[in-house]
């Protein structure tokens, strides 16, 4: 999570969210921060960018055995993307009561109607992750 926090701090013009993807052996496959403002792309969330980069790194879209670590609870788009990518484990920091899709508002990743449900660890370094976001919005 500390690595994701450092990635989140690299884009001062966008909401500071950082995501990293670790391979089954624990090596970092990809890292990304939000790039919506930088690219003008509404889908350029940290999680989506990290998923794209990790898939390119391993040469396929299935990221089975991989872990996504992100500083903020994923939204519906990102939660859906990580389920489709077959991420095995999701670790996130701060809860997002307005748009969170891992338990706050929706629970996409645990929906039994979908073909994949990752293991979830929530609230990791929650205070530090939330503090970074609060500082941005002041």
């Amino acid at each position: 999570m500390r690595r994701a926090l450092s990635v989140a701090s690299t884009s001062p013009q966008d909401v500071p969210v950082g995501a990293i993807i670790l391979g089954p052996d624990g090596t970092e496959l990809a890292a990304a921060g939000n790039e919506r403002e930088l690219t003008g792309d509404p889908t350029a969330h940290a999680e989506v960018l990290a998923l794209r980069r990790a898939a390119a790194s391993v040469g396929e879209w299935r990221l089975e055995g991989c872990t996504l670590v992100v500083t903020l609870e994923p939204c519906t788009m990102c939660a859906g993307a990580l389920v489709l990518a077959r991420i095995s484990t999701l670790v996130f920091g701060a809860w997002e009561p307005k748009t969170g899709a891992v338990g706050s508002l929706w629970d996409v990743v645990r929906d039994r109607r979908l073909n994949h449900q990752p293991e979830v660890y929530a609230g990791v370094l929650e205070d530090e992750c939330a503090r970074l976001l609060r500082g941005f919005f002041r």
Side-chain angles (χ1 to χ4, degrees):
M1 185 59 74
R2 294 209 186 281
R3 170 74 174 121
L5 277 163
S6 70
V7 172
S9 301
T10 61
S11 180
Q13 70 271 21
D14 214 324
V15 177
V17 176
I20 62 168
I21 298 192
L22 304 172
D25 63 356
T27 60
E28 185 176 305
L29 299 176
N34 276 346
E35 295 181 9
R36 293 176 308 166
E37 298 298 330
L38 178 68
T39 62
D41 178 355
T43 69
H45 289 202
E47 301 95 308
V48 170
L49 296 174
L51 289 168
R52 289 175 184 162
R53 292 171 188 167
S57 173
V58 299
E60 70 167 294
W61 63 268
R62 287 178 191 87
L63 298 174
E64 293 169 317
C66 294
T67 299
L68 169 61
V69 180
V70 61
T71 58
L72 182 65
E73 178 184 4
C75 69
T76 53
M77 175 182 69
C78 294
L82 74 91
V83 166
L84 292 173
R86 310 296 196 275
I87 288 289
S88 295
T89 305
L90 168 65
V91 179
F92 73 87
W95 291 90
E96 173 46 281
K98 294 180 182 176
T99 62
V102 187
S104 286
L105 193 56
W106 297 285
D107 201 349
V108 172
V109 301
R110 292 183 192 94
D111 190 323
R112 295 288 175 205
R113 296 170 293 181
L114 300 176
N115 64 342
H116 178 75
Q117 293 86 33
E119 191 169 353
V120 177
Y121 297 92
V124 175
L125 296 181
E126 180 177 2
D127 291 339
E128 290 178 52
C129 293
R131 189 175 316 116
L132 181 64
L133 289 159
R134 279 193 307 272
F136 178 81
F137 287 108
R138 286 189 184 168

